Amino acid sequence: MNTLLAKHWHQLPRNEVAELLESDADKGLDTFEISRRQTHFGPNRLTLKKGTSPLVLFLLQFHQPLVYILLAAAAITFALEEWVDSSVIFGVVLVNAVIGYVQESKALKAIETLAHGMEGVAMVVRAGKKQKISAAELVPGDLVLLQSGDKVPADLRLLRSRELQIDESALTGESVPVQKQPEHLPQATVLADRSNMAYSSALVSYGTGSGVVVAIGDDTEIGQINALIASAATLATPLTRKITHFSGILLWIILGLAGLTLVAGWLHGQPLLDTFMAAVALAVGAIPEGLPAAMTIMLAIGVSRMARRHAIIRKMPAVETLGSTTVICSDKTGTLTQNQMTVQQLCVAGQCYAFAGVGYAPQGEVSLNGAVVKPAAQPALIECLSAGLLCNDSHLVNKDVQWLVEGDPTEVALITAAIKAGLGREALERALPRLDTLPFESQHQYMASLHAATAESAAVIYMKGSLESVLSRCSDTLTVNATTAPLDKALIFSEVEAMAAKGLRVLAFARKFVAASSQSVNHADVAQGLTFLGIQAMMDPPRQEAITAIAACQQAGIQVKMVTGDHLATAAAIARQIGLHGAADGDADSFAISGHRLAQLSDQQLVEIAQRAAVFARVSPEQKLRLVAALQAAGHVVAMTGDGVNDAPALKQADIGVAMGVGGTEVAKEAADMVLTDDNFSTIEAAVEEGRAVFDNLVKFITWTLPTNLGEGLVILVAVFAGATLPITPVQILWINMTTAVLLGLMLAFEDKEPGLMLRPPRRPQTPVLTLELGFRIGLVSLMLLVSAFGLFELALYQGKGLETARTIAVNMFVFGELFYLFNCRSLRYSMFKLGVFSNRWLILGVIVMVLLQILFTYAATMNQWFGSAPMRVNEWFWVLSGGFMIYSLVGVEKWLRYRGSSRVKTRPENNRS
């Protein structure tokens, strides 16, 4: 098969297509040729990508810089026969690995879902005989028959069609079924406009047709999407990138300090074993062992909170990524809009009526010039609506208090409008029963129906279709009083232009009275002499909640862009209705960009225009993927929303993919990081808010835990340089780090969102986790922990206390220093009194449990034996508590001095939603 032709079957006449494929347009392929082609081309299936094995996935959990140090420390202590220290260190590493493995073990299933979507049956003609076969057995050149309800089994070049309409919304983003026809098209025709092609996995919604298979398996359009999904990089999230960078820096600092400890010990002539244990203690102390587990659990808590707000997180780092998002690229159909065509305006006899209500529910008033009218008193209005109701093959069904569509959404919109005006279909069809129909054909662009005569009148033909096809057949127009008058085409075209500017799709209606004896209708009967009835304008209306959510996102400094397969004018009009704006608002050419223009841009030009434009219409899956990559190249953190198969590659490429849970395809859900259970764009705003709160709490945890690690490392380093005994041992350090991380640090995850959260601009991707001011605070607390812990340790030894007692005092100083500092970290800006001392009840519970554990650590004989601790006296507790209160007071003063001029923050009421 010629590679060039394989991409442009739509440009070839249908007879040439069959000849090139050496097939017969009536009989299909013969039996021997089918067998040969099955051997040559293989089955009609997608190639699956081999995933990561569970074992490799588990081993990857150990592939982290800080874990290497802990594993080395475990190995060294094991070699030195320090069994307790070695087992505790390795146990900590193992627990972190298990937590990470459990969270990542759900591998992506997008490609498998695609492959499953292609399975099915196909009705074919082979050797002149009609037969049903498995879709996997299809080969290029097979003649396939299509009818309503079928799933297209492969990419087909249509040879025949009769009223054939195919729903390609999941593939192209087109919001209504596409009318198909067999004639050839220009080579430059974009995918969504190739009306002579039927693509694999699309659904036949109406009519019949036949076509010859031109591509199977990986060569189909959906196969190319499969390849894009497989090739799209799964990017590290902003959080994982920052933590990785932070871990790398910390790794070299720890190695440097450990090396310095070894050198200092050697210079002081200390025994090699003691020096090694000091270096191990420093390494273990400086590593925030609780950080991976704490980060995972904090993200899990964020997942739970988002689930209550209708957002299901499939990959936990996505929680924080939402908080970092700078651009949201949203699909239009079903995401920003209702995905329910609705008649909004009807113009007859120079009067334009407005219809209230959205969606298929037939509820809403009819108004004229802002005043509600009684439709029954408007004969011209009723006649135009009757035409739309009678010249109609679709149905609106009320099932379980839900309005369901049977047929074409455009026709159902006409039914809904007629019912709103009080018309009943059954009564109207009894009065004017249908005798014959001219079905819609693309070359004629209209449908007509003949209805029987009544006692009072002749038979009547009703017509609906494109404005040009209907208007050219009319000789007069209906007036307000239901009489006829000369046709004013200029007035009609001006009304249509006004509607088109609003993104409305227009259908024109006409009628013609014929002899009462007429039993059939043909194209000659409607070639001329019709009376123009009016035009009905409809659109897929925007979600009202999406308008509010977009405004909130833009106020939070997040750009929202529409990326759709729909027409440019429609998309631009919807975008303006929902309040989208870009850097090029005043430039109509740059506000909305078509896929055809995108294809002509270089990568650098695309990076520039991607940041300026607000709407990208008629785009292919490859262009969606390229657009996301261009925004990422400009330094943006990109969230991509969508519901179709065509969205899946871009969903995977984006920093966070957001799929629709109700109307979305399984492929989109599997490719996404987050699924919205209510298909509501406004849920994204809530998710962004939760994401920002999660990151806030993560920064609070890191700001809280690092002074302990740094303080522990400094205590060891100072002891070695001073030639003194180590104030704390490696196993005591692990006790401090792990118990406080779980019982104290993790409680920060339950802090409420702070005021003004959604009024902040998004964090720049380049911004480090810790700012200079937080670095200063960490350094200040580390020094206070060093001075208080080392000072109390030396004081205890000076007073003749035993080594175990002195070390127990030092351990408690670290624990209670962290406990007091925890109340500072409830907010990085405000005091705990502003937040409410008891507003975080989990934190209070954690503090109580931690105090009880420290009492056990100090007084329980078993704990004394395991950890080398010893009982303390009351006056020694007074020293420890005084040191903790000193830390809390100094940090409180530092916060007050830094933020005293910026304590008042404006907030929106919804920022305090839980």
Side-chain angles (χ1 to χ4, degrees):
M1 188 185 302
N2 186 293
T3 304
L4 178 63
L5 290 176
K7 293 184 178 180
H8 301 294
W9 292 106
H10 61 278
Q11 79 174 67
L12 301 175
R14 46 185 163 175
N15 57 329
E16 286 187 27
V17 173
E19 290 176 10
L20 281 169
L21 290 167
E22 300 176 5
S23 181
D24 189 291
D26 297 311
K27 298 181 179 180
L29 296 171
D30 63 45
T31 305
F32 295 110
E33 182 62 17
I34 292 166
S35 179
R36 187 185 72 81
R37 294 192 185 192
Q38 284 177 337
T39 303
H40 179 73
F41 291 105
N44 178 31
R45 290 194 182 100
L46 297 179
T47 303
L48 300 181
K49 182 182 178 182
K50 188 176 180 180
T52 306
S53 70
L55 177 61
V56 173
L57 192 63
F58 179 71
L59 292 176
L60 285 174
Q61 305 307 313
F62 299 92
H63 184 51
Q64 301 175 41
L66 298 181
V67 174
Y68 295 155
I69 299 178
L70 287 175
L71 287 174
I76 291 170
T77 51
F78 182 82
L80 296 175
E81 298 184 1
E82 297 288 342
W83 311 120
V84 175
D85 290 16
S86 179
S87 58
V88 171
I89 295 171
F90 185 74
V92 168
V93 173
L94 191 62
V95 168
N96 281 330
V98 170
I99 291 173
Y101 172 76
V102 169
Q103 294 304 327
E104 293 184 26
S105 60
K106 295 180 180 180
L108 286 175
K109 299 176 182 177
I111 297 173
E112 289 87 340
T113 303
L114 272 171
H116 178 73
M118 289 190 66
E119 296 290 344
V121 297
M123 184 65 71
V124 299
V125 176
R126 287 179 167 176
K129 295 181 180 179
K130 187 189 298 185
Q131 54 186 289
K132 184 178 289 186
I133 64 169
S134 168
E137 298 175 17
L138 286 174
V139 296
D142 257 325
L143 181 61
V144 177
L145 305 180
L146 299 174
Q147 64 180 8
S148 180
D150 286 351
K151 178 182 285 187
V152 181
D155 284 2
L156 311 178
R157 170 63 167 87
L158 295 174
L159 304 180
R160 302 176 186 86
S161 70
R162 180 172 175 81
E163 305 177 61
L164 183 63
Q165 297 179 23
I166 297 181
D167 181 359
E168 297 176 342
S169 60
L171 185 67
T172 66
E174 176 66 62
S175 56
V176 295
V178 179
Q179 187 75 36
K180 295 295 184 177
Q181 56 83 31
E183 301 305 323
H184 64 281
L185 298 166
Q187 179 178 329
T189 306
V190 297
L191 180 74
D193 292 332
R194 294 176 187 172
S195 57
N196 57 9
M197 299 289 296
Y199 293 109
S200 177
S201 293
L203 298 172
V204 179
S205 59
Y206 194 73
T208 60
S210 65
V212 62
V213 176
V214 296
I216 63 171
D218 292 338
D219 293 324
T220 61
E221 287 296 329
I222 202 169
Q224 293 176 38
I225 292 176
N226 170 46
L228 289 174
I229 295 174
S231 63
T234 303
L235 298 180
T237 68
L239 178 64
T240 55
R241 286 196 294 264
K242 289 172 183 175
I243 293 297
T244 300
H245 178 68
F246 172 73
S247 298
I249 294 173
L250 200 56
L251 170 65
W252 290 110
I253 292 174
I254 292 168
L255 289 176
L257 291 175
L260 196 60
T261 303
L262 286 172
V263 172
W266 176 70
L267 290 175
H268 281 84
Q270 294 178 355
L272 183 62
L273 177 60
D274 291 347
T275 304
F276 261 118
M277 288 307 296
V280 168
L282 185 143
V284 172
I287 294 174
E289 297 92 347
L291 179 57
M295 189 170 75
T296 301
I297 294 169
M298 278 192 170
L299 291 174
I301 292 170
V303 168
S304 176
R305 285 180 171 177
M306 287 188 180
R308 292 197 293 268
R309 300 181 76 170
H310 309 293
I312 303 300
I313 300 296
R314 297 186 65 249
K315 301 166 190 174
M316 284 209 299
V319 176
E320 182 276 333
T321 308
L322 272 166
S324 309
T325 299
T326 58
V327 176
I328 299 174
C329 293
S330 175
D331 186 38
K332 177 184 74 68
T333 306
T335 307
L336 296 173
T337 63
Q338 303 272 357
N339 199 18
Q340 297 184 357
M341 293 299 290
T342 307
V343 172
Q344 296 196 335
Q345 207 169 349
L346 187 152
C347 292
V348 291
Q351 294 184 330
C352 289
Y353 297 86
F355 285 72
V358 294
Y360 297 128
Q363 298 164 357
E365 298 172 325
V366 182
S367 60
L368 178 64
N369 299 324
V372 176
V373 298
K374 293 182 178 179
Q378 313 288 325
L381 170 66
I382 291 296
E383 186 67 3
C384 186
L385 289 169
S386 298
L389 193 57
L390 291 170
C391 189
N392 196 313
D393 288 328
S394 298
H395 298 277
L396 179 64
V397 181
N398 189 356
K399 185 178 181 181
D400 298 329
V401 200
Q402 187 176 6
W403 293 95
L404 303 178
V405 174
E406 291 183 0
D408 180 72
T410 300
E411 288 193 328
V412 174
L414 301 176
I415 297 172
T416 300
I419 297 175
K420 286 179 182 179
L423 292 177
R425 188 171 190 174
E426 292 183 2
L428 204 57
E429 288 179 339
R430 282 196 302 269
L432 294 168
R434 187 190 295 191
L435 300 175
D436 195 19
T437 304
L438 277 177
F440 184 94
E441 294 178 347
S442 56
Q443 62 265 40
H444 297 297
Q445 293 293 307
Y446 63 76
M447 171 187 176
S449 57
L450 172 66
H451 298 268
T454 63
E456 294 82 14
S457 65
V460 61
I461 298 172
Y462 284 115
M463 173 188 282
K464 76 168 187 286
S466 69
L467 179 67
E468 293 76 10
S469 63
V470 173
L471 202 57
S472 64
R473 290 166 170 79
C474 294
S475 56
D476 55 19
T477 185
L478 197 68
T479 66
V480 175
N481 300 319
T483 59
T484 58
L487 193 62
D488 186 350
K489 291 187 177 181
L491 174 62
I492 295 169
F493 279 118
S494 67
E495 291 171 344
V496 170
E497 286 176 9
M499 293 173 175
K502 300 176 184 176
L504 298 173
R505 299 170 185 256
V506 172
L507 274 181
F509 298 83
R511 77 177 183 197
K512 182 179 182 179
F513 291 113
V514 293
S517 59
S518 298
Q519 294 295 311
S520 64
V521 60
N522 56 49
H523 292 292
D525 295 329
V526 293
Q528 59 183 357
L530 278 78
T531 298
F532 187 77
L533 297 179
I535 48 182
Q536 294 192 43
M538 64 194 72
M539 73 183 310
D540 180 10
R543 294 175 178 267
Q544 289 302 311
E545 59 271 27
I547 297 174
T548 305
I550 286 169
C553 287
Q554 290 177 158
Q555 186 179 23
I558 302 168
Q559 297 180 45
V560 182
K561 298 179 185 295
M562 180 189 293
V563 184
T564 178
D566 214 338
H567 293 282
L568 184 67
T570 303
I574 291 286
R576 290 190 171 92
Q577 286 185 39
I578 60 180
L580 286 189
H581 56 73
D585 280 349
D587 182 356
D589 292 334
S590 296
F591 176 77
I593 307 294
S594 68
H596 179 70
R597 184 176 168 191
L598 277 184
Q600 300 171 346
L601 298 176
S602 67
D603 289 344
Q604 184 56 43
Q605 289 173 322
L606 181 58
V607 170
E608 295 175 5
I609 202 70
Q611 298 178 80
R612 291 171 52 80
V615 179
F616 300 88
R618 229 59 179 151
V619 293
S620 66
E622 294 91 342
Q623 288 173 332
K624 288 187 177 186
L625 188 63
R626 191 176 168 222
L627 178 62
V628 172
L631 288 165
Q632 288 170 334
H636 288 288
V637 176
V638 182
M640 169 74 186
T641 77
D643 55 5
V645 174
N646 61 322
D647 297 319
L651 287 174
K652 188 180 177 189
Q653 172 70 32
D655 295 278
I656 174 167
V658 183
M660 303 298 116
V662 179
T665 60
E666 288 302 314
V667 177
K669 294 175 194 175
E670 292 296 337
D673 303 286
M674 182 174 85
V675 179
L676 306 184
T677 59
D678 58 356
D679 283 15
N680 196 331
F681 184 88
S682 65
T683 302
I684 297 175
E685 184 217 349
V688 168
E689 188 179 31
E690 291 293 348
R692 290 187 174 190
V694 166
F695 186 80
D696 267 10
N697 290 341
L698 277 171
V699 172
K700 292 173 187 176
F701 176 84
I702 294 171
T703 305
W704 169 82
T705 193
L706 285 186
T708 306
N709 301 114
L710 187 55
E712 289 165 345
L714 288 175
V715 162
I716 303 298
L717 193 62
V718 169
V720 171
F721 269 87
T725 306
L726 295 183
I728 45 178
T729 64
V731 72
Q732 288 173 342
I733 289 172
L734 284 172
W735 166 265
I736 295 168
N737 290 356
M738 295 308 295
T739 55
T740 56
V742 173
L743 294 173
L744 300 182
L746 271 181
M747 300 305 110
L748 292 172
F750 299 99
E751 286 295 332
D752 289 335
K753 293 178 283 291
E754 294 197 9
L757 190 64
M758 285 299 284
L759 295 178
R760 305 178 196 166
R763 294 187 314 278
R764 291 184 300 171
Q766 301 80 11
T767 303
V769 176
L770 298 177
T771 60
L772 286 175
E773 61 188 55
L774 293 181
F776 172 81
R777 188 176 301 166
I778 289 168
L780 175 65
V781 177
S782 301
L783 287 174
M784 287 191 288
L785 284 171
L786 165 65
V787 171
S788 54
F790 193 81
L792 290 178
F793 173 77
E794 289 296 328
L795 178 62
L797 291 179
Y798 176 77
Q799 293 179 345
K801 312 284 185 187
L803 179 60
E804 291 78 8
T805 301
R807 282 178 169 167
T808 305
I809 293 172
V811 168
N812 277 304
M813 183 61 246
F814 270 104
V815 170
F816 281 89
E818 285 187 84
L819 190 150
F820 277 90
Y821 179 50
L822 180 71
F823 289 97
N824 294 119
C825 291
R826 290 187 58 195
S827 171
L828 300 177
R829 178 180 294 261
Y830 309 113
S831 76
M832 68 170 178
F833 298 104
K834 183 176 178 66
L835 301 176
V837 176
F838 299 103
S839 60
N840 186 345
R841 295 181 181 178
W842 285 102
L843 185 138
I844 302 300
L845 178 63
V847 166
I848 293 171
V849 175
M850 188 71 241
V851 169
L852 293 176
L853 277 180
Q854 280 309 112
I855 292 172
L856 285 175
F857 176 88
T858 305
Y859 297 106
T862 305
M863 301 290 279
N864 295 160
Q865 184 179 354
W866 286 353
F867 291 98
S869 58
M872 290 169 49
R873 295 180 178 179
V874 175
N875 65 314
E876 293 161 354
W877 281 111
F878 177 77
W879 298 346
V880 168
L881 295 176
S882 297
F885 183 75
M886 175 190 69
I887 292 172
Y888 172 79
S889 301
L890 285 176
V891 175
V893 170
E894 183 264 339
K895 282 204 296 185
W896 178 78
L897 290 173
R898 190 181 298 277
Y899 298 115
R900 55 184 170 175
S902 56
S903 60
R904 299 181 68 184
V905 179
K906 294 180 181 178
T907 62
R908 296 201 321 275
E910 62 266 29
N911 283 344
N912 296 320
R913 292 174 298 182
S914 57

Short mmCIF file of all heavy atoms in Angstrom, two decimals, residues 338 340-344 354-366 416 420 541:
data_model
loop_
_atom_site.label_atom_id
_atom_site.label_comp_id
_atom_site.label_asym_id
_atom_site.label_seq_id
_atom_site.Cartn_x
_atom_site.Cartn_y
_atom_site.Cartn_z
N GLN A 338 -22.64 21.96 28.03
CA GLN A 338 -23.57 20.95 28.54
C GLN A 338 -23.53 19.66 27.73
O GLN A 338 -23.96 18.61 28.20
CB GLN A 338 -25.02 21.50 28.47
CG GLN A 338 -25.24 22.79 29.21
CD GLN A 338 -25.59 22.57 30.66
OE1 GLN A 338 -25.73 21.43 31.09
NE2 GLN A 338 -25.72 23.62 31.41
N GLN A 340 -25.41 19.24 25.23
CA GLN A 340 -26.83 19.07 24.91
C GLN A 340 -27.25 20.25 24.05
O GLN A 340 -27.39 21.37 24.54
CB GLN A 340 -27.68 19.01 26.18
CG GLN A 340 -27.37 17.82 27.09
CD GLN A 340 -28.31 17.75 28.28
OE1 GLN A 340 -29.17 18.61 28.48
NE2 GLN A 340 -28.16 16.71 29.08
N MET A 341 -27.46 19.98 22.76
CA MET A 341 -27.85 21.06 21.85
C MET A 341 -29.18 21.67 22.30
O MET A 341 -30.11 20.95 22.69
CB MET A 341 -27.99 20.53 20.42
CG MET A 341 -26.67 20.08 19.81
SD MET A 341 -25.44 21.40 19.68
CE MET A 341 -26.16 22.42 18.42
N THR A 342 -29.25 23.00 22.27
CA THR A 342 -30.42 23.71 22.78
C THR A 342 -30.78 24.87 21.83
O THR A 342 -29.91 25.67 21.49
CB THR A 342 -30.14 24.30 24.18
OG1 THR A 342 -29.66 23.27 25.03
CG2 THR A 342 -31.38 24.93 24.77
N VAL A 343 -32.04 24.92 21.43
CA VAL A 343 -32.51 26.08 20.63
C VAL A 343 -32.58 27.28 21.56
O VAL A 343 -33.24 27.24 22.60
CB VAL A 343 -33.88 25.79 20.00
CG1 VAL A 343 -34.43 27.07 19.34
CG2 VAL A 343 -33.77 24.68 18.98
N GLN A 344 -31.89 28.34 21.18
CA GLN A 344 -31.87 29.54 22.01
C GLN A 344 -32.61 30.71 21.38
O GLN A 344 -33.05 31.61 22.08
CB GLN A 344 -30.42 29.94 22.30
CG GLN A 344 -29.66 28.91 23.12
CD GLN A 344 -28.38 29.46 23.73
OE1 GLN A 344 -27.81 30.41 23.22
NE2 GLN A 344 -27.94 28.86 24.81
N ALA A 354 -36.75 34.42 22.06
CA ALA A 354 -35.71 33.79 22.87
C ALA A 354 -36.32 32.65 23.67
O ALA A 354 -37.44 32.77 24.19
CB ALA A 354 -35.06 34.80 23.80
N PHE A 355 -35.58 31.53 23.77
CA PHE A 355 -36.05 30.37 24.52
C PHE A 355 -35.18 30.20 25.76
O PHE A 355 -33.96 30.08 25.67
CB PHE A 355 -35.97 29.11 23.66
CG PHE A 355 -37.05 29.02 22.61
CD1 PHE A 355 -37.03 29.84 21.50
CD2 PHE A 355 -38.10 28.13 22.76
CE1 PHE A 355 -38.03 29.78 20.53
CE2 PHE A 355 -39.11 28.06 21.81
CZ PHE A 355 -39.08 28.88 20.70
N ALA A 356 -35.83 30.18 26.92
CA ALA A 356 -35.11 29.98 28.18
C ALA A 356 -34.86 28.50 28.41
O ALA A 356 -35.48 27.64 27.77
CB ALA A 356 -35.88 30.58 29.34
N GLY A 357 -33.98 28.20 29.34
CA GLY A 357 -33.67 26.81 29.66
C GLY A 357 -32.53 26.28 28.82
O GLY A 357 -32.29 26.75 27.71
N VAL A 358 -31.82 25.30 29.39
CA VAL A 358 -30.72 24.67 28.66
C VAL A 358 -30.88 23.16 28.75
O VAL A 358 -31.53 22.64 29.65
CB VAL A 358 -29.35 25.08 29.25
CG1 VAL A 358 -29.08 26.55 29.04
CG2 VAL A 358 -29.25 24.73 30.74
N GLY A 359 -30.27 22.48 27.78
CA GLY A 359 -30.33 21.03 27.78
C GLY A 359 -31.61 20.52 27.14
O GLY A 359 -32.38 21.27 26.54
N TYR A 360 -31.83 19.20 27.26
CA TYR A 360 -32.96 18.56 26.58
C TYR A 360 -34.26 18.62 27.39
O TYR A 360 -35.32 18.29 26.87
CB TYR A 360 -32.62 17.10 26.28
CG TYR A 360 -31.45 16.95 25.32
CD1 TYR A 360 -30.37 16.15 25.62
CD2 TYR A 360 -31.45 17.64 24.11
CE1 TYR A 360 -29.30 16.01 24.74
CE2 TYR A 360 -30.39 17.52 23.23
CZ TYR A 360 -29.31 16.70 23.54
OH TYR A 360 -28.26 16.59 22.68
N ALA A 361 -34.19 19.00 28.66
CA ALA A 361 -35.41 19.10 29.45
C ALA A 361 -36.31 20.19 28.85
O ALA A 361 -35.88 21.34 28.73
CB ALA A 361 -35.08 19.43 30.90
N PRO A 362 -37.55 19.85 28.47
CA PRO A 362 -38.43 20.84 27.81
C PRO A 362 -39.06 21.81 28.81
O PRO A 362 -40.28 21.85 28.98
CB PRO A 362 -39.48 19.96 27.13
CG PRO A 362 -39.54 18.74 27.97
CD PRO A 362 -38.17 18.52 28.52
N GLN A 363 -38.22 22.56 29.46
CA GLN A 363 -38.67 23.51 30.48
C GLN A 363 -38.05 24.87 30.18
O GLN A 363 -36.83 24.97 30.01
CB GLN A 363 -38.26 23.03 31.87
CG GLN A 363 -38.87 21.69 32.26
CD GLN A 363 -38.16 21.06 33.44
OE1 GLN A 363 -37.18 21.59 33.94
NE2 GLN A 363 -38.66 19.92 33.87
N GLY A 364 -38.87 25.90 30.11
CA GLY A 364 -38.38 27.24 29.83
C GLY A 364 -39.43 28.07 29.12
O GLY A 364 -40.29 27.54 28.41
N GLU A 365 -39.36 29.38 29.34
CA GLU A 365 -40.35 30.29 28.75
C GLU A 365 -39.87 30.82 27.41
O GLU A 365 -38.68 30.81 27.10
CB GLU A 365 -40.60 31.45 29.71
CG GLU A 365 -41.18 31.02 31.06
CD GLU A 365 -41.25 32.18 32.04
OE1 GLU A 365 -40.33 33.01 31.99
OE2 GLU A 365 -42.19 32.22 32.85
N VAL A 366 -40.84 31.28 26.63
CA VAL A 366 -40.56 31.91 25.34
C VAL A 366 -40.81 33.41 25.49
O VAL A 366 -41.84 33.82 26.03
CB VAL A 366 -41.45 31.34 24.22
CG1 VAL A 366 -41.11 31.98 22.88
CG2 VAL A 366 -41.30 29.81 24.15
N THR A 416 -37.44 19.69 21.68
CA THR A 416 -37.50 20.35 22.99
C THR A 416 -38.09 21.75 22.87
O THR A 416 -38.93 22.16 23.68
CB THR A 416 -36.08 20.43 23.60
OG1 THR A 416 -35.56 19.11 23.76
CG2 THR A 416 -36.10 21.13 24.95
N LYS A 420 -41.57 23.21 24.61
CA LYS A 420 -41.57 24.40 25.46
C LYS A 420 -42.69 25.36 25.06
O LYS A 420 -43.24 26.08 25.91
CB LYS A 420 -40.22 25.13 25.35
CG LYS A 420 -39.06 24.45 26.06
CD LYS A 420 -37.77 25.23 25.86
CE LYS A 420 -36.59 24.54 26.53
NZ LYS A 420 -35.32 25.28 26.31
N PRO A 541 -24.90 24.81 24.98
CA PRO A 541 -24.71 25.96 25.88
C PRO A 541 -23.62 25.72 26.91
O PRO A 541 -23.39 24.58 27.33
CB PRO A 541 -26.08 26.11 26.56
CG PRO A 541 -26.67 24.75 26.50
CD PRO A 541 -26.17 24.12 25.23
#
